[in-house]
Amino acid sequence: MDLSLLYYALQGLAGFIAFVTIWGWLPLDNWWVRGVEFPRIQIMVLGIIAWFGMLVFFSEWELWQWILFVVLSGTLAFQLRMVLPYTKLWKKEVQKAKDKPEGQAHQIKIMVSNVLTPNDETQKLVDLVKQKQPDILITLESDKKWERALQQVESDYPYTVKVPLDNLYGMHLYSKLELIDPEVKYLMIDDIPSIHTQLRLQGGRVIWLYCLHPMPPSPTEADKSTTRDAELLMVGKHIKENDQTAILAGDLNDVAWSKTTRRFQRISGLLDPRIGRHFINTFHVKYPFLRWALDHIFHSACFTVVDIQRMPSVGSDHFPVMTTLQYEPEEASKQEGNAPTAQAEDIQETDNKIEEGKKEGEKVSEEHRQEQRSFG
């Protein structure tokens, strides 16, 4: 192979990595800007290849190549800072659960599964639920077909909230634990639901559970991330202002290292059990190199982690993920210090984003109504 061609290719890759990283810093909600937040792992891997590759040709550098290398180094450092917290190289944000005698370990197993509405392999999820026996099952993109299929496990789940929709935003909640006053809310867009409920744990403690699935920024969905960001921040603000013990779970159509999700953590005070452990990359099932975490769980500091793992494929484009938490209020004071703290700028930006989201949500809702009338 002609080494000069390899050298030019490496420089081109270095320039691309630097450009994509800097592009993502633009203060815009458009999908073609916010979309580059998703593949940080892939960008980091390609950046490392370019960085070491350029070093091989160190003796041939000119001034502009020095500049390119410095810019690449800076952008690569940024990508590493975003990604490394989700590895074992980082301090754990949530501690490992303590071993307790049976009957004293108040644990809760939560399975989140975006089932993909057109997916007909419903039995795979049914069998997985029967095998793993989660206390809470949250399904996203579930319609009447999925509701009928899940009747096979419904006898084990006396508490349910069902929102079957055929617009890719249906949602079902199945619980072995008592649900108290569950509500289905449409926070930003008229036909995109979320479930808000109180939940009684095994020991009798009542907490809040929020199940979300906002619209993603993409060329086929929302032009902007505004409503997605606003919905997440609105719930985070509500949790903090009401001093709630809470768990938030669902397909957030965002990655943990995005500016919105990190701001959500600062606003809500909730913890991310993946920090200091490992990636739980749930999407896309078919493309291992193009895979990132879209399905999340965040929780208050009174919970520790027993286990968090990705489940086998159920025929969807998302893997299910199951998290087992343990209620340990005695650990709350220790773990609260691990929660990121909101600054005045975060509070102001959150309020602004919520207002922008409401306006954008009204616009998108009207567009959806017009589409329904045209097809009706």
Side-chain angles (χ1 to χ4, degrees):
M1 179 181 179
D2 189 338
L3 291 181
S4 64
L5 291 178
L6 176 60
Y7 187 29
Y8 291 135
L10 289 167
Q11 292 176 78
L13 180 59
F16 173 74
I17 296 302
F19 172 78
V20 167
T21 303
I22 295 170
W23 181 260
W25 296 342
L26 293 174
L28 299 174
D29 285 352
N30 303 79
W31 69 265
W32 36 268
V33 174
R34 299 300 301 279
V36 301
E37 292 181 317
F38 288 72
R40 294 208 187 279
I41 300 172
Q42 292 81 1
I43 292 171
M44 181 190 69
V45 170
L46 293 175
I48 291 172
I49 292 171
W51 195 87
F52 280 106
M54 285 192 69
L55 285 179
V56 172
F57 298 94
F58 173 79
S59 61
E60 301 179 26
W61 285 5
E62 298 177 7
L63 176 60
W64 71 270
Q65 290 157 330
W66 274 100
I67 295 172
L68 175 61
F69 186 76
V70 169
V71 173
L72 173 64
S73 298
T75 55
L76 183 56
F78 172 79
Q79 298 292 356
L80 285 168
R81 174 61 183 84
M82 293 296 101
V83 170
L84 284 180
Y86 302 91
T87 70
K88 293 182 179 180
L89 299 176
W90 214 258
K91 177 186 176 183
K92 290 182 177 64
E93 193 163 276
V94 181
Q95 297 305 305
K96 181 74 175 175
K98 295 179 180 177
D99 291 330
K100 292 189 175 184
E102 187 174 351
Q104 297 182 27
H106 299 149
Q107 297 182 356
I108 176 171
K109 292 198 295 185
I110 302 174
M111 182 182 291
V112 177
S113 182
N114 181 318
V115 298
L116 184 63
T117 303
N119 174 22
D120 291 325
E121 299 181 63
T122 56
Q123 194 61 39
K124 285 186 176 181
L125 179 61
V126 170
D127 292 342
L128 183 64
V129 171
K130 288 180 177 180
Q131 176 190 357
K132 298 296 183 181
Q133 288 293 311
D135 299 303
I136 301 289
L137 171 65
I138 302 166
T139 64
L140 297 317
E141 292 198 29
S142 41
D143 57 3
K144 277 291 186 180
K145 173 188 68 180
W146 280 94
E147 187 175 300
R148 289 192 295 270
L150 289 166
Q151 287 176 352
Q152 297 178 61
V153 301
E154 203 165 325
S155 60
D156 294 328
Y157 295 89
Y159 305 97
T160 60
V161 181
K162 301 174 182 178
V163 195
L165 297 172
D166 58 7
N167 64 350
L168 303 181
Y169 292 97
M171 180 180 294
H172 288 70
L173 170 62
Y174 298 87
S175 177
K176 295 181 179 180
L177 304 175
E178 180 186 359
L179 301 180
I180 303 170
D181 299 327
E183 289 185 79
V184 177
K185 296 187 177 183
Y186 298 82
L187 296 178
M188 290 292 153
I189 300 175
D190 287 351
D191 54 358
I192 298 184
S194 57
I195 297 173
H196 307 228
T197 183
Q198 294 182 78
L199 178 71
R200 193 181 305 278
L201 300 179
Q202 293 171 346
R205 179 73 162 90
V206 175
I207 68 165
W208 281 87
L209 174 66
Y210 296 90
C211 309
L212 304 185
H213 184 208
M215 180 180 285
S218 78
T220 58
E221 299 274 350
D223 292 336
K224 297 180 179 180
S225 66
T226 309
T227 58
R228 179 202 67 183
D229 300 345
E231 181 170 333
L232 185 57
L233 293 172
M234 177 185 282
V235 174
K237 180 181 178 182
H238 177 79
I239 290 169
K240 188 66 173 181
E241 289 181 344
N242 291 278
D243 194 24
Q244 293 177 343
T245 299
I247 296 173
L248 182 145
D251 172 7
L252 301 185
N253 277 313
D254 200 5
V255 283
W257 44 66
S258 78
K259 63 181 181 182
T260 296
T261 305
R262 289 182 292 122
R263 177 167 286 145
F264 159 77
Q265 275 202 268
R266 296 194 295 270
I267 288 293
S268 67
L270 300 189
L271 304 179
D272 186 342
R274 294 163 298 186
I275 291 179
R277 289 184 167 84
H278 49 84
F279 304 113
I280 306 291
N281 293 333
T282 55
F283 175 92
H284 191 287
V285 168
K286 293 183 179 179
Y287 310 114
F289 184 70
L290 293 175
R291 191 175 286 171
W292 41 73
L294 294 186
D295 302 275
H296 306 262
I297 185 166
F298 299 95
H299 58 79
S300 295
C302 55
F303 290 99
T304 54
V305 176
V306 177
D307 188 41
I308 179 169
Q309 58 181 306
R310 191 175 70 192
M311 296 285 101
S313 171
V314 293
S316 173
D317 50 356
H318 289 243
F319 291 100
V321 61
M322 189 159 76
T323 306
T324 305
L325 303 175
Q326 184 162 292
Y327 182 62
E328 295 189 56
E330 65 274 15
E331 297 298 314
S333 59
K334 301 177 187 177
Q335 296 196 141
E336 283 171 354
N338 296 335
T341 305
Q343 305 298 319
E345 178 188 2
D346 291 311
I347 297 170
Q348 184 62 53
E349 286 295 320
T350 293
D351 291 340
N352 292 343
K353 186 60 66 179
I354 291 172
E355 289 304 312
E356 291 174 14
K358 290 178 179 177
K359 293 177 183 178
E360 183 70 17
E362 291 175 2
K363 175 184 172 183
V364 174
S365 296
E366 179 58 31
E367 291 174 352
H368 287 185
R369 286 192 290 268
Q370 290 178 359
E371 289 175 2
Q372 289 172 357
R373 285 194 292 267
S374 65
F375 287 105

